[in-house]
Amino acid sequence: MMADLMDENHLIQSARQGELEAFNCLVLMYQDLVFWQAIWMLDEPGSAEEVTQQTFLLAYRKPRSFQDGDFACWLLKIASRLCLEELHRRKSGHSSPQKARDHDGIEVDAVFCVNGLSGSPEDNTGQHDLVKIVQEGLNELSPDLRAVITLVDIWEMDYTQTAE
């Protein structure tokens, strides 16, 4: 654990100095976390992928904006802000949702893009039902509350990190 933290700190410092390879390692470490935050907030894989890319693009362009602290929290803060902007655009009618498609080009529900739900619906019925119930509940919340719930209850961040 301590070695991982030291490695992460080294990667962060190297990325801040413009080392692309170090930044790419950080992307690999955190891309799933950022994607999941976007999925939980947007309920749409296409938009979640876009937000994930935008998050890392912003992090790459402004590495010095990360102050010492929790790097994952910083990335999730960026992703959550981008999700809120996307939800605002949708509400104001400035963007239309993108539908996710499987390898055969068939539209799929966002919940099937969740890790571990790559099989058929019959294989994943229990997990699918739970994820769908959670997602439906999240969709009933305001975007701000959705961000808080996902950060605290799904990503298990403490309240101080979430408040940031």
Side-chain angles (χ1 to χ4, degrees):
M1 177 77 169
M2 187 61 137
D4 290 341
L5 185 58
M6 289 174 48
D7 289 341
E8 178 187 23
N9 288 335
H10 176 73
L11 288 171
I12 291 167
Q13 292 308 317
S14 297
R16 286 172 114 178
Q17 296 171 0
E19 291 183 30
L20 183 59
E21 188 62 32
F23 184 78
N24 286 339
C25 289
L26 290 168
V27 169
L28 291 174
M29 287 173 66
Y30 292 109
Q31 65 186 359
D32 289 343
L33 176 73
V34 171
F35 177 76
W36 282 106
Q37 177 65 8
I39 276 289
W40 286 116
M41 288 189 69
L42 300 173
D43 191 24
E44 190 178 296
S47 293
E49 288 172 3
E50 242 180 78
V51 163
T52 301
Q53 290 173 356
Q54 290 174 357
T55 297
F56 286 106
L57 184 59
L58 285 170
Y60 180 73
R61 287 183 176 162
K62 297 184 180 190
R64 297 195 195 300
S65 69
F66 169 68
Q67 305 301 316
D68 291 333
D70 189 335
F71 190 73
C73 182
W74 179 65
L75 289 173
L76 288 174
K77 180 180 175 182
I78 295 170
S80 295
R81 183 178 50 80
L82 291 170
C83 287
L84 291 171
E85 289 173 6
E86 172 62 21
L87 290 167
H88 178 72
R89 271 193 297 276
R90 287 181 189 176
K91 188 175 180 180
S92 63
H94 294 320
S95 83
S96 58
Q98 301 172 7
K99 296 290 182 185
R101 298 186 181 276
D102 67 10
H103 296 292
D104 298 321
I106 298 170
E107 284 185 10
V108 294
D109 199 358
V111 294
F112 284 108
C113 295
V114 175
N115 271 346
L117 298 182
S118 56
S120 70
E122 295 81 20
D123 295 338
N124 298 306
T125 300
Q127 285 181 306
H128 176 264
D129 290 345
L130 177 61
V131 171
K132 192 164 189 90
I133 289 168
V134 170
Q135 188 64 61
E136 287 171 357
L138 287 171
N139 289 343
E140 291 180 19
L141 299 173
S142 70
D144 291 336
L145 287 176
R146 192 178 315 162
V148 170
I149 294 295
T150 56
L151 292 172
V152 172
D153 292 322
I154 294 174
W155 301 121
E156 298 178 348
M157 292 188 152
D158 63 38
Y159 293 111
T160 304
Q161 291 172 312
T162 302
E164 290 175 12

